[in-house]
Amino acid sequence: MKPLFQIFYGEKATSLEITACHDLRDDIQLVLDSRVEFFQFTTNFTQTLSNIEPINSIQIIVGSPSTNTYLNHLIENQLLKLTPEYPGKRGGLIQIVNDPALGQDHQLIILGGSDPQGTQYAVYDFCHNELGIDPFRYWTGYI
């Protein structure tokens, strides 16, 4: 059985971040032929995280500290380093995080940015590096 991908984006996600999430979904479906679900965090992120499928699923958290309170939770608990200064303006990062609140063996893929444009870059870098998607595909339509 193919894994279920669950994409979580911030309660204040910008249109740029939401578009990047839709592109991520399309790329996962194209390359891996897997199901993808979207969830938007609420200010009570633990309630949103109750949607996590514990078996045969992969969670991807997308956003920046200004648009996603769950990322702020990870930052405050020193599980993630992401600030306006790091990685910097338009800077993005791809990181695997274990949030003990979800269980020791539960890993999350973080596609984060110092700002929404950095988040977009992190998503497209992930699609290119991990899924083999040509970054120009979004403009040319070629894989």
Side-chain angles (χ1 to χ4, degrees):
M1 173 184 271
K2 295 178 182 176
L4 166 66
F5 284 81
Q6 296 180 303
I7 299 172
F8 292 82
Y9 60 92
E11 67 282 0
K12 297 177 188 172
T14 65
S15 60
L16 192 65
E17 291 173 319
I18 293 170
T19 297
C21 286
H22 285 266
D23 290 339
L24 174 61
R25 176 204 55 208
D26 294 346
D27 291 346
I28 289 169
Q29 289 174 333
L30 178 69
V31 174
L32 302 175
D33 191 32
S34 290
R35 288 184 310 130
V36 180
E37 296 177 345
F38 282 116
F39 296 95
Q40 182 173 21
F41 279 108
T42 62
T43 51
N44 180 359
F45 59 80
T46 54
Q47 180 181 8
T48 307
L49 290 171
S50 68
N51 291 301
I52 288 179
E53 289 290 331
I55 299 172
N56 202 29
S57 66
I58 297 167
Q59 287 72 44
I60 303 173
I61 313 298
V62 178
S64 64
S66 65
T67 64
N68 191 321
T69 56
Y70 182 65
L71 291 180
N72 287 316
H73 159 77
L74 296 175
I75 292 164
E76 290 166 8
N77 287 285
Q78 300 181 348
L79 300 170
L80 178 68
K81 183 177 180 182
L82 183 61
T83 67
E85 295 77 32
Y86 180 83
K89 186 177 179 181
R90 298 183 187 151
L93 61 77
I94 300 167
Q95 186 173 330
I96 305 294
V97 170
N98 286 333
D99 184 351
L102 300 175
Q104 282 298 76
D105 297 332
H106 201 96
Q107 296 184 326
L108 304 169
I109 299 172
I110 307 296
L111 304 180
S114 290
D115 51 38
Q117 192 167 22
T119 300
Q120 180 189 35
Y121 292 156
V123 169
Y124 295 147
D125 284 348
F126 178 83
C127 291
H128 177 67
N129 295 330
E130 303 304 323
L131 300 175
I133 297 292
D134 183 334
F136 292 109
R137 172 181 178 270
Y138 307 106
W139 294 277
T140 66
Y142 295 112
I143 298 176

